[in-house]
Amino acid sequence: MIKNKTKGISNLFSKIKNLRLGGRVKLIFALLSFGFALYLLISLLLFFILGKSDQSALSITIHDILSDPNNTIHNIGGKSGIYLGDYLINRYLGLSSFGLVYFFVLIGFLALGGKKRFLIRSVKLMLIMAWSSITLGYLFVAFYENSNFFPGGAYGLYYSQLMNGVIGKLGTFLVLVITAMIFFIYEFDNFPDLLKEAMERVIDFFSYSFQRTINFFKSLSFKKVKKDSLASEVSNNEADIVMEEDVIDDSTFSQKPITETFETHHEFESYVQTPVREHVEMDTVPTRPFNETDYESVHIPIHNSAPVAEEEGLSLEVTEMIQEEQVGELDHTEIEDYDPTLDLSSYRFPGLDLLRKFDSQTNIVTNEELQENKERIVETLRNYNIEIKSIKATTGPTITLYEIIPAPGVRINKIKNLENDIALSLAALGIRIIAPIPGKGTIGIEVPNQKAQIVSMREIIGSKKFSESSYDLPIAFGKTISNEVYMVDLAKMPHILVAGATGQGKSVGLNAMITSLLYKKHPSQLKFVFVDPKKVELSLYSLIENHFLAKMEDEEEPIITDVQKVKNTLNSVCIEMDNRYDLLKNAHARNIKEYNKKFVERKLNPEKGHHYLPYIVVIVDEFADLIMTAGKEIESPIARIAQLARAVGIHMIIATQRPSANIITGPIKANFPARVAFKVASMVDSRTILDAPGANQLIGKGDMLIQTGSEMTRVQCAFIDTPEVEELVEFIGEQRGYPTAFFLPEYKDESSQMADDTDLDNRDELFEEAARLLIMNQVGSTSAIQRKFSIGYNRAGRIMDQLEYAGVVGPNEGSKARKVLIPDETNLEMLLQSL
């Protein structure tokens, strides 16, 4: 580790040494900005802490400091530090002046070529500083009278007092609160929802408190009335205790209602009004056993709700029976669906302003050019005694399609053999004859335009067809000959093979595919695995590592460039594929779409290992170089992914500039039905890619043929330049992302795996914690280790093998859990010390 740090420092100094003059000036300016920011931070902090003791130093001159050493200054920033603190804090913005430290840090990063949007951040910072100064001046007015420190500064005090005089203290308070809320609403997407929830809780709290207060006063008034009634009753009865001579039997009292004891209501009233026979002294009261029913309240149903008159002024208060309100059906509140985008709810999709807008280039093909080409085609065909009935032209961005209907009796092959003669007469770069056009009954002659039109990526992304598409993985390639946007769904293709000679637009095509997906998918729904042996084509996308990229956990670089790491990554993708198939099997789902739908509807339990599955797109550039270097070790996992991974949402895009038969082999061609061919050198290469000629007759610069099944379409690829890609990835990279990239399962070679299983000197980092877990539970379960530490099954299995070799658990017993051989943690500590 020390060697690596030393090497990193030496590399840093070597880079600084190799900087050009402009780079050195920027570095010097950045260091000055960082240094002044640090000096300003320390000076302001010490003025805030020691400002009172340094007030006298404000009147000391430099001559006084040199002549009298007793003139000590506590602020290590010196006299300048005191002046800065007094000027910025007391006379200007108060505590808001600390925002200037952040401002100079931004300037330093800007000088180093850091992220853009410096102006927007600076304006936000200035607004926050001004608002904070006025707010502190408003809140701490009394603090200004007897203190050497002003929280809001003179600026905050002046403008807060000015606002108090114009709109009053209440108006000032409302303005400050509303402006703060406007800022939070603009800056945070989920703030309105949080504000609404907080307001609802406050209203519920006050409503609850108000109701409790009303109930409290009602209970006080009820107790007062009851107390007066009891006092009147005691005075009327003269504290004599009257007992009935006849005592009701306990069983009758507890088992039957009182009204059922009498046959009629008249008997009950006569019983109530029967005069008392005699007074009995307290000492002669007959006793009976205590029964719990004596304290139970008995409800007496009365047929008439009129008050019942009783003697001696004692009134009987009758409470009517309460009728509970009934509902038609039970209320089963549905649980809201799970939203995978909530982890990054503030994520903003890229806008069209990030892409370059080209000038309008409509009607580049003139009528004169069309008429001239038509006459030359007809003339050339007549020279060979071929008559045509009609001809029709369809103009595209770079190609014009002339559809002809030959006269009866003309053989199609005769026209097809005149391809070179027609090209000679038109003086074109190369023409392509489609004989016949599928589904039309015509013969097509594709002729390049004299002036080609640039198909911009902004035009494609901004089209209605792309914005309203419901594809799972939409990819917009460009425009067809009929000037229509050409789109495909990668989820249905399901893999793409891209081939073409150097400099014919292959890299631009890859960027167009990636950009289409970035504009349509949320980071929770899509992950990329980038393999770039050239190390420069896909390196721009490293900025979105924590948003869209997937890699192995132990990899440092998000873009895979080393051949050995490529092999491990592709095998790791195969493990991810197998794990996903296990999840689909347990969820009784046939594909990723059904599985995610069940998970979103909360029909799958996350505690059983289920989770939302994002789509994974593996993009491999320079496939020929990988095959030449690693051969079957690369081809085998790619073939396996291509054969099986479609159902679990894993798709591949492979690009190569050497479309030879030993590179694009049989297994690759069989599992990549969708193929994209840019211009190639020969017909043999075209047949290798498309199993048909045509790619050798393309004109280059993004001109391509796309084959999906038996259908072949000529498309002009959308153009996206490197600065546009940089703007796009910087926009995404500046937003809050996940803590790490999406980790693929761990994979190691079998040889290294066997060594790790038996070599206890190279124990896994989780070896001791896993051992304690098994001893605590006394169950040797690999799945328990996997769930507890959130690791892959392969790593958990290797930890279990190491625990077996160390003597912590017993051997594998099939489907049963392993036996734990160590009874407690004391014996475990002794074992670990011995290891």
Side-chain angles (χ1 to χ4, degrees):
M1 184 180 292
I2 296 175
K3 289 182 179 180
N4 292 336
K5 289 184 177 179
T6 307
K7 185 177 180 180
I9 294 172
S10 62
N11 290 336
L12 176 63
F13 280 108
S14 63
K15 289 181 180 179
I16 294 174
K17 184 177 179 181
N18 294 329
L19 285 174
R20 296 182 179 178
L21 181 59
R24 295 183 182 183
V25 171
K26 291 181 180 179
L27 180 61
I28 293 172
F29 186 77
L31 291 176
L32 291 175
S33 299
F34 292 145
F36 183 73
L38 181 62
Y39 176 79
L40 182 61
L41 175 63
I42 295 174
S43 300
L44 293 179
L45 281 175
L46 291 178
F47 182 83
F48 176 71
I49 299 171
L50 307 173
K52 186 174 182 180
S53 60
D54 282 338
Q55 285 296 313
S56 59
L58 293 172
S59 59
I60 299 176
T61 63
I62 297 178
H63 176 73
D64 296 334
I65 296 175
L66 297 175
S67 60
D68 188 2
N70 294 325
N71 291 326
T72 57
I73 296 176
H74 299 87
N75 194 323
I76 62 174
K79 189 173 180 63
S80 298
I82 299 174
Y83 271 114
L84 277 174
D86 180 66
Y87 179 77
L88 294 177
I89 293 181
N90 286 343
R91 303 184 188 183
Y92 194 51
L93 291 175
L95 293 178
S96 303
S97 302
F98 281 95
L100 293 174
V101 177
Y102 178 63
F103 177 74
F104 283 102
V105 171
L106 284 180
I107 293 177
F109 279 114
L110 182 65
L112 290 176
K115 297 178 180 178
K116 299 182 179 180
R117 308 186 189 280
F118 167 77
L119 181 61
I120 296 177
R121 292 184 177 181
S122 301
V123 171
K124 288 182 182 178
L125 176 63
M126 296 305 174
L127 292 176
I128 292 173
M129 291 171 61
W131 182 88
S132 303
S133 176
I134 296 174
T135 303
L136 292 173
Y138 173 80
L139 295 176
F140 298 99
V141 177
F143 202 79
Y144 283 78
E145 297 179 358
N146 299 316
S147 176
N148 295 319
F149 168 70
F150 305 151
Y155 173 90
L157 179 64
Y158 172 77
Y159 281 100
S160 63
Q161 294 297 321
L162 179 64
M163 294 172 66
N164 287 342
V166 176
I167 57 177
K169 291 186 177 181
L170 177 60
T172 304
F173 175 76
L174 292 176
V175 168
L176 294 174
V177 172
I178 291 173
T179 51
M181 292 174 65
I182 291 173
F183 175 80
F184 283 118
I185 291 172
Y186 173 77
E187 199 64 23
F188 305 103
D189 294 339
N190 59 344
F191 181 77
D193 298 333
L194 297 177
L195 181 63
K196 180 181 178 182
E197 183 180 353
M199 293 292 291
E200 290 176 352
R201 291 188 178 183
V202 170
I203 292 173
D204 293 342
F205 173 75
F206 280 110
S207 301
Y208 175 75
S209 302
F210 181 71
Q211 189 64 37
R212 288 289 300 271
T213 305
I214 292 176
N215 294 339
F216 174 73
F217 283 111
K218 283 184 177 179
S219 64
L220 286 180
S221 61
F222 174 75
K223 289 180 181 179
K224 184 176 180 181
V225 172
K226 186 175 181 181
K227 183 177 180 181
D228 295 340
S229 176
L230 290 174
S232 175
E233 183 181 348
V234 170
S235 62
N236 291 333
N237 293 334
E238 296 178 350
D240 292 331
I241 302 175
V242 180
M243 301 298 295
E244 295 281 349
E245 185 180 21
D246 300 321
V247 180
I248 300 175
D249 185 68
D250 291 343
S251 61
T252 305
F253 189 83
S254 60
Q255 295 177 3
K256 297 175 62 180
I258 290 178
T259 53
E260 296 181 5
T261 309
F262 307 97
E263 295 181 359
T264 64
H265 181 65
H266 177 72
E267 294 181 5
F268 171 72
E269 289 183 346
S270 63
Y271 173 78
V272 174
Q273 296 176 358
T274 302
V276 180
R277 296 183 179 180
E278 59 180 346
H279 295 277
V280 185
E281 298 294 335
M282 176 64 76
D283 295 338
T284 60
V285 173
T287 61
R288 61 183 176 88
F290 172 76
N291 195 333
E292 292 182 358
T293 58
D294 295 344
Y295 288 90
E296 293 181 359
S297 59
V298 180
H299 183 73
I300 306 175
I302 303 298
H303 297 286
N304 191 353
S305 61
V308 181
E310 293 185 347
E311 59 183 2
E312 299 181 0
L314 182 64
S315 61
L316 176 64
E317 182 180 354
V318 180
T319 304
E320 295 183 359
M321 296 180 64
I322 299 175
Q323 297 292 333
E324 290 288 345
E325 184 179 358
Q326 300 292 314
V327 296
E329 295 181 359
L330 294 178
D331 183 17
H332 297 287
T333 304
E334 295 184 359
I335 303 176
E336 294 184 0
D337 290 345
Y338 170 75
D339 186 3
T341 63
L342 288 180
D343 292 338
L344 293 181
S345 59
S346 61
Y347 176 77
R348 292 176 293 139
F349 284 87
L352 291 177
D353 57 325
L354 300 175
L355 301 176
R356 182 180 173 186
K357 184 177 182 180
F358 291 89
D359 297 333
S360 179
Q361 302 176 7
T362 57
N363 298 326
I364 288 182
V365 182
T366 62
N367 291 330
E368 291 79 5
E369 181 182 347
L370 294 175
Q371 191 67 25
E372 184 179 351
N373 287 339
K374 170 217 165 186
E375 292 176 355
R376 289 183 178 179
I377 292 173
V378 173
E379 181 182 356
T380 303
L381 293 177
R382 283 178 178 173
N383 290 337
Y384 293 93
N385 299 322
I386 298 175
E387 296 292 333
I388 60 175
K389 293 174 59 177
S390 64
I391 184 168
K392 171 186 171 185
T394 304
T395 59
T398 56
I399 301 295
T400 299
L401 174 64
Y402 295 89
E403 297 182 49
I404 63 174
I405 300 177
V410 177
R411 297 180 60 184
I412 294 177
N413 288 337
K414 192 173 181 180
I415 299 177
K416 204 168 185 180
N417 292 333
L418 297 176
E419 189 173 74
N420 294 332
D421 298 288
I422 296 175
L424 178 63
S425 65
L426 295 176
L429 294 175
I431 67 169
R432 176 170 169 261
I433 296 180
I434 311 171
I437 297 177
K440 285 191 175 183
T442 59
I443 298 174
I445 302 176
E446 296 176 348
V447 180
N449 299 332
Q450 293 180 0
K451 292 182 180 180
Q453 176 185 348
I454 298 177
V455 179
S456 66
M457 197 68 203
R458 180 189 180 115
E459 185 180 358
I460 302 299
I461 298 296
S463 65
K464 185 177 180 180
K465 184 176 182 180
F466 180 82
S467 61
E468 295 181 356
S469 68
S470 58
Y471 291 163
D472 294 324
L473 293 175
I475 291 181
F477 282 102
K479 287 188 175 182
T480 63
I481 292 178
S482 58
N483 211 37
E484 296 179 359
V485 174
Y486 185 83
M487 288 180 56
V488 296
D489 188 0
L490 181 60
K492 295 180 180 179
M493 296 189 77
H495 313 289
I496 302 177
L497 175 62
V498 182
T502 304
Q504 302 304 318
K506 179 168 51 66
S507 298
V508 175
L510 286 178
N511 287 331
M513 298 181 204
I514 298 170
T515 302
S516 302
L517 295 173
L518 292 179
Y519 265 89
K520 266 293 187 180
K521 306 305 289 185
H522 189 272
S524 63
Q525 301 169 337
L526 174 66
K527 301 298 175 184
F528 288 101
V529 176
F530 288 131
V531 176
D532 183 17
K534 282 203 303 190
K535 305 180 182 180
V536 292
E537 291 293 341
L538 302 175
S539 59
L540 294 173
Y541 298 100
S542 60
L543 293 178
I544 58 174
E545 174 183 357
N546 292 352
H547 299 80
F548 282 100
L549 299 194
K551 64 175 186 178
M552 294 178 64
E553 187 173 357
D554 56 349
E555 293 293 338
E556 297 180 0
E557 296 295 330
I559 312 297
I560 314 301
T561 57
D562 184 73
V563 176
Q564 181 63 33
K565 294 180 180 179
V566 171
K567 183 183 68 172
N568 294 341
T569 301
L570 292 177
N571 282 286
S572 177
V573 173
C574 291
I575 298 173
E576 173 71 15
M577 177 185 70
D578 295 335
N579 293 341
R580 289 189 172 199
Y581 269 114
D582 291 337
L583 292 175
L584 263 65
K585 182 188 70 173
N586 296 333
H588 304 289
R590 295 181 299 172
N591 52 55
I592 187 175
K593 204 168 183 179
E594 293 181 5
Y595 177 87
N596 283 338
K597 183 180 180 182
K598 287 186 176 183
F599 188 84
V600 166
E601 294 175 353
R602 301 185 185 274
K603 296 179 180 179
L604 302 177
N605 189 358
E607 295 182 357
K608 295 183 179 180
H610 293 290
H611 57 277
Y612 186 84
L613 299 179
Y615 285 96
I616 297 178
V617 178
V618 182
I619 298 181
V620 180
D621 194 13
E622 298 299 334
F623 178 65
D625 181 71
L626 295 177
I627 291 295
M628 292 174 61
T629 307
K632 290 292 183 181
E633 294 182 347
I634 296 293
E635 184 179 353
S636 297
I638 286 180
R640 188 163 183 263
I641 293 171
Q643 290 171 354
L644 301 174
R646 172 183 180 177
V648 292
I650 301 177
H651 307 275
M652 296 197 71
I653 300 175
I654 293 179
T656 180
Q657 60 180 343
R658 264 191 68 193
S660 56
N662 61 335
I663 301 299
I664 305 177
T665 58
I668 298 296
K669 291 177 67 175
N671 294 291
F672 283 79
R675 302 169 196 172
V676 177
F678 291 86
K679 181 176 175 59
V680 294
S682 64
M683 185 185 297
V684 176
D685 292 340
S686 178
R687 290 188 181 277
T688 304
I689 306 169
L690 303 173
D691 292 329
N696 56 311
Q697 298 167 327
L698 301 175
I699 61 173
K701 296 183 180 180
D703 190 17
M704 60 184 180
L705 289 173
I706 300 177
Q707 185 185 55
T708 55
S710 59
E711 182 182 355
M712 192 179 299
T713 308
R714 190 167 185 176
V715 177
Q716 177 61 40
C717 182
F719 177 73
I720 178 169
D721 204 359
T722 302
E724 297 176 77
V725 179
E726 290 178 349
E727 287 276 348
L728 175 62
V729 297
E730 283 183 4
F731 176 82
I732 298 175
E734 286 178 352
Q735 302 185 53
R736 182 176 69 89
Y738 295 101
T740 61
F742 182 85
F743 287 142
L744 297 172
E746 187 178 5
Y747 172 81
K748 289 186 178 180
D749 293 336
E750 295 182 358
S751 57
S752 61
Q753 181 177 346
M754 291 297 295
D756 291 344
D757 291 345
T758 57
D759 187 5
L760 294 181
D761 293 333
N762 296 324
R763 296 191 299 272
D764 193 280
E765 296 177 355
L766 300 176
F767 177 84
E768 296 185 6
E769 297 182 27
R772 291 188 177 91
L773 174 68
L774 299 185
I775 290 173
M776 181 175 61
N777 298 330
Q778 286 297 308
V779 176
S781 172
T782 305
S783 59
I785 298 176
Q786 184 182 3
R787 289 193 304 270
K788 176 66 177 177
F789 302 109
S790 301
I791 60 177
Y793 183 81
N794 294 331
R795 185 179 178 186
R798 286 197 298 274
I799 294 175
M800 185 63 73
D801 292 337
Q802 292 178 355
L803 291 171
E804 177 188 355
Y805 190 76
V808 178
V809 296
N812 187 13
E813 298 182 5
S815 60
K816 296 182 180 179
R818 296 175 185 246
K819 293 183 179 179
V820 180
L821 304 179
I822 296 181
D824 51 34
E825 291 192 8
T826 304
N827 293 327
L828 175 63
E829 293 298 334
M830 296 174 59
L831 175 63
L832 294 177
Q833 291 178 3
S834 65
L835 293 177

